[in-house]
Amino acid sequence: HTVWYKYFNPSWMLAPYYAGTSDASMISSLPLTGTGLGANPANGFAFAWLDRRFGPDHHAHNIAVLHGKLPTTPATYAGEAKMEGGTQLRYWSICNSQGLTSGKTTGPCLADEEVPINAKRDYTIVLSLPQDRPSNATDRCGVAWMNYGTAGDGYTRPDSTLLIMRNLSTTAHPAFRNAIQNIATPATVKSTMGAYLPAVTYTDAAQFEHAGCKASTR
């Protein structure tokens, strides 16, 4: 089960390390205000740890599959002369990063216009090592792909990776009630974001390929 956290401030990066340990009670004492590492009223971040040891492959060659709904964002990728208004967010991205111990918080990313979506704006993203990429994890099949990488958490867990999702709000982000910025407490991450919070499952390339180009259908 993948747990998503809102990035309230830098201290919240410690929450996953406390979870499931004798220090779990410390999570409730972490502050809910503050900024840092790019978070501000316009920028909201949610994060989760993944581990490719989870799944059917016993040699850590599993893949993580994300299903979610993409907020509307203005088209800018093709050099549009004017940014359209009326969208839910200004920008959306999801990145694959290391943890606090390495200090390297930037990794491979996908931006909003790089993610294939269906008519309902549902998307499927596959994270895997390059050699484990399913043949149907392609734009043609409606599936985005991210390189899981081998840097791990930058410390002692090469099979782990930190997934960071970014919401850059419009000038009135509360109008998009599912924005990360509207998460008021740690307990309301899922209830606030709803379908815009990706569900994560683990499988391997062979099983994912069984669906062919229908793999992106939820």
Side-chain angles (χ1 to χ4, degrees), residues 9-209:
N9 52 62
S11 62
W12 269 89
M13 300 298 287
L14 297 172
Y17 296 94
Y18 293 154
T21 73
S22 58
D23 294 323
S25 61
M26 296 178 65
I27 297 176
S28 61
S29 67
L30 295 174
L32 302 182
T33 57
T35 59
L37 298 181
N40 56 50
N43 264 315
F45 296 91
F47 65 95
W49 280 101
L50 305 182
D51 196 306
R52 52 188 167 83
R53 291 172 295 179
F54 297 147
D57 188 277
H58 299 297
H59 301 287
H61 286 281
N62 294 296
I63 67 175
V65 182
L66 279 64
H67 288 297
K69 187 178 292 290
L70 191 70
T72 57
T73 57
T76 59
Y77 199 75
E80 286 79 1
K82 183 178 180 180
M83 181 181 290
E84 64 183 299
T87 59
Q88 292 169 315
L89 295 175
R90 288 182 182 268
Y91 178 77
W92 176 100
S93 66
I94 196 159
C95 295
N96 189 19
S97 306
Q98 297 180 32
L100 285 176
T101 51
S102 73
K104 297 179 179 179
T105 57
T106 305
C109 298
L110 286 171
D112 40 50
E113 292 188 69
E114 297 176 299
V115 179
I117 53 175
N118 65 16
K120 297 181 180 179
R121 300 194 65 82
D122 296 327
Y123 63 79
T124 298
I125 298 173
V126 167
L127 283 88
S128 76
L129 296 176
Q131 63 266 36
D132 300 327
R133 179 177 181 173
S135 59
N136 54 339
T138 62
D139 287 352
R140 183 179 66 84
C141 288
V143 179
W145 177 78
M146 288 178 63
N147 186 350
Y148 199 105
T150 57
D153 67 351
Y155 186 52
T156 62
R157 299 177 178 86
D159 301 321
S160 297
T161 195
L162 181 64
L163 204 59
I164 302 176
M165 181 169 56
R166 177 186 178 188
N167 282 186
L168 177 58
S169 71
T170 61
T171 54
H173 69 76
F176 176 40
R177 66 179 184 85
N178 302 108
I180 293 172
Q181 290 90 328
N182 293 330
I183 299 171
T185 68
T188 59
V189 173
K190 175 60 179 175
S191 61
T192 299
M193 295 195 68
Y196 296 94
L197 185 72
V200 181
T201 58
Y202 292 93
T203 184
D204 59 21
Q207 293 187 31
F208 190 83
E209 288 171 347

